[in-house]
């Protein structure tokens, strides 16, 4: 790996490094979310109308039959740009906050650093995502609302004003903050477990292909665990955006406690597991091709300071 290190485009924790991480996060998140738009369309419709869309195969058949094949790609622009911007903020700021907190909180455990870093990054990432998500969900579930961002943004502003774009911010935080905290922490600990207990080699001593293989395994575990944790809030968001409930408590009562955890969960696992895996794969591919190590772990001096954590 020494040859790769010599060809580094930037040094770790430099402004260029955080910029590279942000670009990597933007490209990886935007492209992967765009690719699974049909599954996202089905998921949202299953949440809003679970009786009509009560299964993956039957749901796709209903959408195709009633609204045509183009309906499966509704909201693609919101997925590409909204989640691209969110991914740039999430990955770039996570790297920044992880370094910041590891330096400032040397007496804290690894898990605490991972939780706090991911939560801090996600707060800003969701503020950036929320307007895109508000338009996307309406486009996907209300065929006559708009075709995409270009006509959906001005229409939403005319009908609901600026608050309409951020109506779902708190439920979005409720979904994404637990997901992000569990996802990043699970990823970090999975990477550590694979290197320490399975491969039994330091990351720096592994090839690029081996590092990316570890990234994929850890990414899938992280995505699956995070999906289960965040499913209730995801159902609430869809209910609020489609005016099936006026507030969070009303949405919880209408959906039901059991359904909060189970409704659309299989399709979300099908959707999110591979997406998170691909995001980490593309993100780390950009990093290793730039001469940087793959993701996972704290800086060397932080590892020494937290050896007893």
């Amino acid at each position: 790996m020494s040859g790769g290190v010599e060809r580094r485009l930037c040094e770790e924790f430099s402004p260029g490094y955080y910029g590279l991480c942000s670009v990597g996060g933007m490209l990886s998140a935007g492209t992967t979310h765009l690719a699974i738009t049909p599954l996202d369309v089905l998921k949202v419709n299953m949440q809003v109308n679970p009786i009509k869309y009560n299964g993956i195969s039957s749901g796709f058949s209903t959408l195709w039959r009633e609204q045509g094949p183009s309906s499966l790609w509704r909201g693609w622009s919101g997925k590409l740009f909204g989640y691209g911007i969110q991914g740039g903020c999430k990955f770039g700021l996570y790297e920044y906050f992880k370094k910041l907190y590891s330096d400032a909180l040397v007496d804290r455990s690894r898990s605490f650093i991972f939780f706090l870093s991911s939560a801090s990054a996600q707060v800003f990432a969701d503020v950036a995502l929320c307007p895109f998500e508000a338009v996307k969900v309406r486009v996907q579930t209300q065929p006559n609302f708009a075709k995409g961002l270009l006509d959906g943004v001005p229409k939403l502003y005319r009908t609901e004003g600026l608050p309409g774009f951020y109506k779902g911010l708190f439920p979005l935080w409720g979904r994404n903050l637990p997901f992000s905290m569990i996802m990043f922490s699970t990823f970090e600990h999975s990477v550590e477990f694979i290197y320490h207990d399975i491969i039994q080699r330091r990351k720096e001593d592994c090839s690029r292909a081996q590092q990316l293989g570890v990234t994929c395994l850890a990414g899938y575990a992280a995505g699956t665990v995070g999906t289960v944790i965040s499913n209730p809030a995801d159902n609430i968001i869809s209910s609020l955006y489609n005016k099936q409930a006026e507030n969070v408590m009303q949405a919880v009562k209408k959906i039901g406690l059991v359904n909060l955890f189970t409704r659309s969960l299989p399709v979300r696992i099908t959707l999110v597991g591979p997406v998170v895996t691909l995001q980490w794969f593309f993100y780390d591919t950009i990093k290793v091709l730039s001469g940087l190590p793959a993701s996972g772990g704290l800086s060397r001096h932080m590892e020494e300071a937290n050896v007893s954590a």
Side-chain angles (χ1 to χ4, degrees):
M1 290 299 294
S2 59
V5 173
E6 292 171 0
R7 295 192 298 272
R8 283 188 175 185
L9 293 182
C10 56
E11 290 302 314
E12 281 189 276
F13 315 123
S14 66
Y17 171 77
Y18 296 123
L20 179 69
C21 291
S22 296
V23 171
M26 184 179 297
L27 292 175
S28 64
T31 54
T32 51
H33 276 281
L34 173 65
I36 49 83
T37 297
L39 276 170
D40 188 59
V41 172
L42 175 61
K43 180 211 74 172
V44 173
N45 279 280
M46 288 176 72
Q47 292 171 333
V48 174
N49 194 345
I51 297 176
K52 184 175 183 180
Y53 303 97
N54 56 11
I56 295 178
S57 58
S58 62
F60 274 128
S61 298
T62 301
L63 283 169
W64 187 288
R65 183 177 64 255
E66 295 186 358
Q67 302 179 33
S70 62
S71 66
L72 299 178
W73 291 96
R74 280 206 186 100
W76 70 267
S77 56
K79 295 285 285 182
L80 176 63
F81 296 108
Y83 282 90
I85 293 173
Q86 186 211 37
C89 293
K90 181 169 66 176
F91 282 93
L93 288 175
Y94 175 72
E95 298 283 359
Y96 172 78
F97 283 122
K98 186 168 73 166
K99 177 65 166 62
L100 177 69
Y101 295 142
S102 68
D103 288 342
L105 305 172
V106 293
D107 59 333
R108 294 289 186 166
S109 69
R110 293 167 179 256
S111 295
F112 183 82
I113 298 295
F114 299 148
F115 280 141
L116 189 59
S117 302
S118 55
S120 300
Q122 194 67 51
V123 166
F124 292 98
D126 282 348
V127 171
L129 168 66
C130 201
F132 296 92
E133 184 78 353
V135 175
K136 177 192 76 74
V137 172
R138 287 169 173 82
V139 168
Q140 290 177 334
T141 58
Q142 302 171 27
N144 298 321
F145 177 77
K147 293 182 179 179
L149 287 177
L150 287 179
D151 54 341
V153 169
K155 183 173 183 178
L156 181 57
Y157 184 76
R158 286 196 308 270
T159 56
E160 300 186 35
L162 190 61
F165 291 99
Y166 286 95
K167 185 177 182 180
L169 180 59
F170 287 104
L172 200 61
W173 278 335
R175 178 189 73 184
N176 289 346
L177 279 171
F179 175 84
S180 185
M181 293 167 70
I182 295 298
M183 189 271 286
F184 275 103
S185 181
T186 302
F187 177 84
E188 297 274 10
H189 287 299
S190 296
V191 167
E192 183 179 357
F193 172 76
I194 293 170
Y195 281 120
H196 185 269
D197 296 312
I198 299 179
I199 299 178
Q200 298 182 346
R201 294 171 64 189
R202 294 169 65 248
K203 178 170 61 177
E204 292 79 3
D205 297 328
C206 295
S207 67
R208 289 176 172 176
Q210 288 172 325
Q211 290 188 35
L212 292 175
V214 171
T215 291
C216 289
L217 289 174
Y220 190 81
T224 301
V225 174
T227 298
V228 175
I229 297 297
S230 64
N231 201 60
D234 193 60
N235 280 302
I236 292 171
I237 289 170
S238 294
S239 180
L240 289 174
Y241 278 146
N242 286 280
K243 300 180 179 179
Q244 294 187 334
E246 294 299 321
N247 53 58
V248 173
M249 290 306 299
Q250 191 179 103
V252 171
K253 290 180 181 179
K254 189 167 185 178
I255 296 170
L257 189 60
V258 174
N259 286 334
L260 277 176
F261 288 90
T262 59
R263 182 178 292 176
S264 75
L265 182 60
V267 71
R268 283 198 74 223
I269 291 177
T270 303
L271 183 96
V272 178
V275 166
V276 172
T277 304
L278 287 173
Q279 282 182 17
W280 279 110
F281 175 74
F282 291 151
Y283 176 67
D284 270 359
T285 297
I286 292 172
K287 289 178 72 173
V288 299
L289 291 179
S290 301
L292 296 163
S295 299
L298 299 167
S299 56
R300 191 177 303 276
H301 74 277
M302 179 58 183
E303 289 179 355
E304 295 171 355
N306 284 266
V307 68
S308 61

